[in-house]
Amino acid sequence: MADSHPAQNPVTEQRRVIITNKHGEKLVGLLHEAGSKEIVVLCHGAASNKDDSLLVNLAVAFEKEGISAFRFDFSANGESEGSFRFNDFYRQADDILSVVQHFSGENRFVSTILGHSKGGDVVLLYASKYRDIHIVVNVSGRYDLKRGLTEIFGEDYMEKFEDGYINLKRGGVEYRVPEEDLMDYLRIDIREACLKIDKECRVLTVHGSHDKINPLKDALEFAKIIPNHQLHIIEGADHVYTSHLTELASVVIRFIKSALDNKSDTGDGGNSPAT
């Protein structure tokens, strides 16, 4: 089920859309309506939301190119419902499925899923699990998830557990992370997932050469193992593309339009039902 109604915005045509995920939680998003049947879904990173400047810039750029874009808050983020979970990668992949199914029910189809940072990992995991999206864009995703734990909790994080929990501060709020969640996180195998992506799925990885959050070597690892892959490095760009948002949008739009043109030539398109 989903409810939708126009958002009050005098500059761009945006429609506020509320989609209920498989857990009964409401996901809130904004559709930048350009009139195309195809929709690009934009996914934010950790401790972020749909109003991240990178996603807003991309959505507006797509709109100007006549491509509709939908940016939304994953469950437990932004305006969406849900409780914080440390290991929610596959739960967020399921949120994307709810979005895909919603627009399919409106006689639209999600042609592309794009994720930034953690969202880049989530869209790759989605492509591996559901195999119903033919264009995937990974913007500055992390290849080595284990390295991320040392950055979040410190080098000796395994020694910091007390009564089966470890503390985490996020957005000024402190959470108690169960040891079980951390162990589940460590079992996520990005490499194995990437190897399972359909060879017909076109994947673009974009990465900034000056990314200090997720190093450039992560992008090179993705390029080695994803079957139908293109790598684009933006020289001088940091993790959030502070001075390179226009270049990022140009690279992504060029790739997606090329992929859509190829799909049009072969007569292929639409999303197959996923279960």
Side-chain angles (χ1 to χ4, degrees):
M1 293 178 64
D3 301 312
S4 58
H5 53 276
Q8 297 301 316
N9 191 311
V11 180
T12 58
E13 292 185 18
Q14 297 174 22
R15 181 160 58 94
R16 182 177 169 88
V17 180
I18 300 175
I19 300 168
T20 302
N21 68 10
K22 64 184 289 186
H23 303 288
E25 299 159 340
K26 291 181 178 179
L27 308 176
V28 180
L30 288 171
L31 176 65
H32 290 243
E33 183 61 80
S36 63
K37 184 174 181 179
E38 303 89 353
I39 295 174
V40 176
V41 171
L42 306 176
C43 304
H44 62 78
S48 187
N49 57 60
K50 65 181 178 302
D51 295 324
D52 180 275
S53 60
L54 185 148
L55 297 190
V56 174
N57 184 79
L58 284 172
V60 172
F62 282 125
E63 190 179 8
K64 290 178 179 177
E65 292 290 326
I67 302 171
S68 298
F70 182 66
R71 52 187 173 93
F72 76 104
D73 295 322
F74 282 120
S75 54
N77 289 267
E79 296 183 87
S80 292
E81 297 177 343
S83 300
F84 169 77
R85 293 169 183 264
F86 180 74
N87 177 27
D88 56 0
F89 284 78
Y90 278 105
R91 193 180 182 93
Q92 290 187 348
D94 288 343
D95 284 347
I96 296 175
L97 177 62
S98 297
V99 171
V100 171
Q101 292 175 333
H102 166 74
F103 285 114
S104 177
E106 290 193 341
N107 199 30
R108 311 283 290 270
F109 78 90
V110 175
S111 64
T112 307
I113 52 176
L114 177 152
H116 173 239
S117 195
K118 178 188 175 185
D121 292 306
V122 173
V123 297
L124 292 171
L125 292 173
Y126 179 94
S128 169
K129 182 177 181 179
Y130 291 111
R131 300 166 69 91
D132 62 343
I133 300 293
H134 304 297
I135 308 170
V136 175
V137 181
N138 159 35
V139 180
S140 306
R142 170 168 281 168
Y143 182 80
D144 183 359
L145 296 186
K146 186 178 293 186
R147 188 189 68 247
L149 289 183
T150 62
E151 294 174 5
I152 295 169
F153 298 109
E155 291 289 344
D156 56 345
Y157 63 88
M158 291 302 292
E159 300 173 11
K160 295 181 179 178
F161 284 99
E162 295 182 6
D163 298 323
Y165 291 87
I166 188 171
N167 292 326
L168 168 67
K169 281 191 175 181
R170 181 186 184 215
V173 180
E174 190 168 288
Y175 298 91
R176 298 185 73 207
V177 178
E179 185 174 1
E180 182 181 353
D181 275 13
L182 210 60
M183 295 303 103
D184 285 344
Y185 176 96
L186 288 170
R187 282 190 280 270
I188 297 175
D189 192 330
I190 292 294
R191 182 181 185 277
E192 181 183 2
C194 288
L195 291 172
K196 292 179 180 178
I197 294 175
D198 193 318
K199 291 179 174 59
E200 296 301 313
C201 178
R202 296 192 62 183
V203 180
L204 170 67
T205 291
V206 186
H207 217 98
S209 66
H210 287 31
D211 190 333
K212 294 181 180 179
I213 305 297
N214 293 338
L216 180 58
K217 66 180 181 181
D218 282 25
L220 303 180
E221 292 299 324
F222 285 123
K224 290 178 185 177
I225 61 171
I226 296 177
N228 190 355
H229 185 271
Q230 181 176 321
L231 172 63
H232 189 99
I233 299 168
I234 297 184
E235 291 297 328
D238 59 17
H239 187 64
V240 295
Y241 299 82
T242 305
S243 302
H244 297 81
L245 288 174
T246 299
E247 184 176 356
L248 172 65
S250 176
V251 169
V252 170
I253 288 171
R254 185 166 61 246
F255 176 83
I256 292 175
K257 291 181 79 171
S258 172
L260 287 174
D261 286 343
N262 287 341
K263 282 294 175 185
S264 178
D265 290 342
T266 60
D268 194 10
N271 303 121
S272 302
T275 58

